[in-house]
Each structure stands twice: as structure tokens, then as C-alpha cells.
Amino acid sequence: MDKPITLITGTRKGIGKYLSEYYVEKGHIVIGCSRSSIDWSLPNYKHFELDVSDEKSVRNLFRCVRKEYGRVDNVINNAGIASMNHALITPLSTVNEVLKTNFIGTFLFCREAGKMMTKNKYGRIVNFTTVATPLKLEGEAVYAASKAAILSLTQVLARELAPFNITVNAIGPTPIETDLIRSVPNEKMQALVQRQAINRYGEFQDVSNVIDFYINKKSDFITGQNIYLGGVS
Amino acid sequence: MKNKIEKLILNAANELNILLDHKLEIEQKSECKLYGQGGVLDSISLVTLIVKVEEKIEDEFKSSIILADEKAMSQRRSPFLTVGTLSAYIESLLNAEVVYG
């Protein structure tokens, strides 16, 4: 049987790096990308250096994937940046950056992946939302809004791509100890964790567990869904 | 170039016909109706055709054009009416790309 072709964005570190290792280990061919170069390598892993919001580079990546593998089975839109700041003192440049990477990046990868997947009449797309949206966290207005846009995109795309047998779902992790939250004071993080039904930090395996479910071939009746970790709703 | 583009669209249409109940009349060549005004494509099959054609253009002309952009959607005469109109539209996009790089 052919190895699944899995594309993951934002693989330089954190969840993206973990997912690359995890799916390579599970026998996938993983294509990853990040804005800067990586200091690690894996067999069956191919890396692209690009900005996920740059249309030309994204289309070029998909052209390379098509030439080399002819298809993509799974796309995991993990790349994201956060910004913690009171809305009143958030510079517009930060808003643009967050929206570009989080929303536009996700959109471009969904669009190009969707095009390639229609040919195969098969595909699984997994996007990343956040518990910051339903928890309405102060200081995360822009980040939470950018992820709310991703949730909306996921739900509409699920309908648009359903005729092509492509599912589009989302996962909303709780805080996991990665670089994304390293700059946030510990007491703030603790207060956040206390608002979850299950009061602990998320772990990488919590994320891959949900993604495994979404990309399972048997999950062809699961689309437009979003699962928040930790019992947040 | 026009003949090449037309041939490429007809190839894509031929591939698409396998999936269609109402087939595209590709023997009518440039007059073959696609979408709207007597065309047999619904919006989903139009999307499939566009994806196929974009891919073939990319392979043939090494050029990544996007067919369904605002320009195409806002044109009074839709470029997706027939193989001929689509072919002319693609030619204009490719020419513009040469000029503006």
C-alpha cells in the first residue's frame, strides 16, 4: 500500500515538529514547512522554507508535491503565531502578521490542497483553532479572532469540499508548554488551565490523538467539526 | 498558442466527461458550451474543470495562473461560457503574465 502523503505547516518546532516525527514514525511521507530553516532531519521528511501567507511560494510547494508524489492525502494547518496584548495597545502591524499567518496561511493551504485532493476524490484537512476563542481570553483579542475565522472557514469549507470526499475539521488545543506560551506569566497560564474541565496542560499526544481520528479513512462522515481539548466548550 | 490552450481545455473536458451524466460536447471544439447559457456544467463540475485546466496550464506553460479570480467573476461576458471564451481568457492571462512577470 502507498504511504500516506501528509503535509504539515509550521514544523520547525513545537507541535509541528512533534507531528512530523509522529507521522513519519507511523509510516507517512511528511512534507513540512516553516519560515526559517530547521536544525533537524528525518527520513521520509521533506522541508520547504516559506511564509505560509505567500501565495506564490505556497503554490510552488504544491507544484513540487504534485510532481514528486502526485497527490496529498492529509494537510495539517498547524502554523500559527500568537500575540498577547491589550487590544488598545496592539499595533496594526501585529494584527496583520497574526491574520496573515493564521488565517491567510490556513486559507491558502486549504485552497491549494483542496484543488489537488479533488482529483483524487479523497482528502483530509485539519485546521488549528484555540480555546482562547470560547474562553474569550483578555489580551488575546487578535489571536482569538484570527482562530475564530479559521473555525468559520473550516465549517464552510467542509460543505464546499464534501462533494469531493474531502473532510475539513479543526482541533483547538489548550495551552501546551511550547514557545507559543513561553512569554506568558505562569499565574496567567494557571488561571487559564483552571477554566478547563480537566485542569492540566495539554500534551502533544492529546493533539495527535484527535488528528488521528480526523484523518482516519473511516472518518469519512466526520466533517466541519471542531474539538477543543481539556473539556473547553 | 491559442490552439494549444484550446486543446488543453478539451483534454480536461474529456477527462471530466467520465464523471458527468450530461457530457460536454467536446466535438464542437471552441463552440463547446461549458457553464451558464446552455452549458451542462454545474458549479461543482466547473470547479473540477478549472482545477484540471489550471494544472495543465502549469505543466504546459510553466505558469501558475489562477483562473477564477475577481477579474473572471466580474467580467460581463463570463470566460467560462464556452471552450473558446475560456481559451481566449487564458491567453490574455498568460500574455499579461509575460508583460508583468
Side-chain angles (χ1 to χ4, degrees), chain A residues 146-158:
Chain A
S146 74
K147 294 289 190 174
I150 292 175
L151 176 57
S152 194
L153 178 76
T154 301
Q155 290 163 337
V156 178
L157 277 183

Side-chain angles (χ1 to χ4, degrees), chain A residues 55-56 59-60 62-63 66-67 111-112 114-116 118-119 121 160 163-164, chain B residues 19 43-45 47-48 51-52 54-56 58-59 62-66 101:
Chain A
E55 186 179 29
K56 236 184 176 159
R59 292 197 81 189
N60 181 51
F62 277 91
R63 186 167 46 231
R66 185 161 67 82
K67 290 263 180 289
R111 188 186 72 187
E112 295 306 312
K115 285 179 185 176
M116 203 179 285
T118 55
K119 248 182 66 179
K121 284 257 175 193
E160 290 191 354
F164 304 105
Chain B
L19 308 169
S43 54
I44 295 294
S45 44
V47 169
T48 311
V51 169
K52 282 180 186 295
E54 277 184 1
E55 203 177 283
K56 288 181 190 300
E58 196 172 279
D59 288 343
K62 311 281 171 252
S63 176
S64 293
I65 54 168
I66 291 193

Side-chain angles (χ1 to χ4, degrees), chain B residues 34-101:
Chain B
L34 297 173
Y35 185 70
Q37 292 183 19
V40 300
L41 297 180
D42 60 13
S43 54
I44 295 294
S45 44
L46 176 67
V47 169
T48 311
L49 180 73
I50 287 174
V51 169
K52 282 180 186 295
V53 172
E54 277 184 1
E55 203 177 283
K56 288 181 190 300
I57 296 281
E58 196 172 279
D59 288 343
E60 181 69 37
F61 297 97
K62 311 281 171 252
S63 176
S64 293
I65 54 168
I66 291 193
L67 285 179
D69 64 1
E70 290 87 350
K71 219 159 93 194
M73 296 313 178
S74 64
Q75 288 200 357
R76 214 154 13 115
R77 256 180 74 84
S78 160
F80 303 112
L81 281 178
T82 65
V83 167
T85 59
L86 182 56
S87 159
Y89 179 62
I90 292 172
E91 193 179 3
S92 73
L93 287 181
L94 288 172
N95 285 336
E97 200 165 64
V98 172
V99 176
Y100 298 112

Side-chain angles (χ1 to χ4, degrees), chain A residues 8-145:
Chain A
I8 305 171
T9 64
T11 51
R12 189 168 70 83
K13 56 186 182 177
I15 299 174
K17 183 183 174 196
Y18 161 77
L19 290 173
S20 303
E21 292 164 347
Y22 178 79
Y23 284 110
V24 162
E25 180 74 19
K26 286 192 97 173
H28 294 217
I29 290 173
V30 174
I31 299 130
C33 64
S34 63
R35 256 189 295 207
S36 40
S37 60
I38 49 173
D39 56 4
W40 52 272
S41 66
L42 280 172
N44 288 329
Y45 175 88
K46 189 180 173 81
H47 193 78
F48 286 79
E49 233 176 279
L50 58 81
D51 175 349
V52 291
S53 68
D54 182 62
E55 186 179 29
K56 236 184 176 159
S57 314
V58 175
R59 292 197 81 189
N60 181 51
L61 178 149
F62 277 91
R63 186 167 46 231
C64 295
V65 171
R66 185 161 67 82
K67 290 263 180 289
E68 193 157 346
Y69 307 105
R71 65 177 215 281
V72 61
D73 302 306
N74 311 302
V75 168
I76 302 170
N77 279 309
N78 159 74
I81 52 173
S83 159
M84 319 280 168
N85 215 344
H86 194 286
L88 300 188
I89 52 167
T90 300
L92 181 59
S93 57
T94 305
V95 180
N96 279 328
E97 276 311 303
V98 172
L99 288 178
K100 263 171 63 184
T101 301
N102 295 1
F103 178 69
I104 293 179
T106 299
F107 171 76
L108 284 176
F109 274 80
C110 285
R111 188 186 72 187
E112 295 306 312
K115 285 179 185 176
M116 203 179 285
M117 289 168 172
T118 55
K119 248 182 66 179
N120 239 7
K121 284 257 175 193
Y122 178 85
R124 300 272 183 266
I125 297 175
V126 182
N127 294 331
F128 272 65
T129 56
T130 171
V131 296
T133 304
L135 293 178
K136 296 159 182 63
L137 299 181
E138 297 102 324
E140 298 197 18
V142 176
Y143 177 66

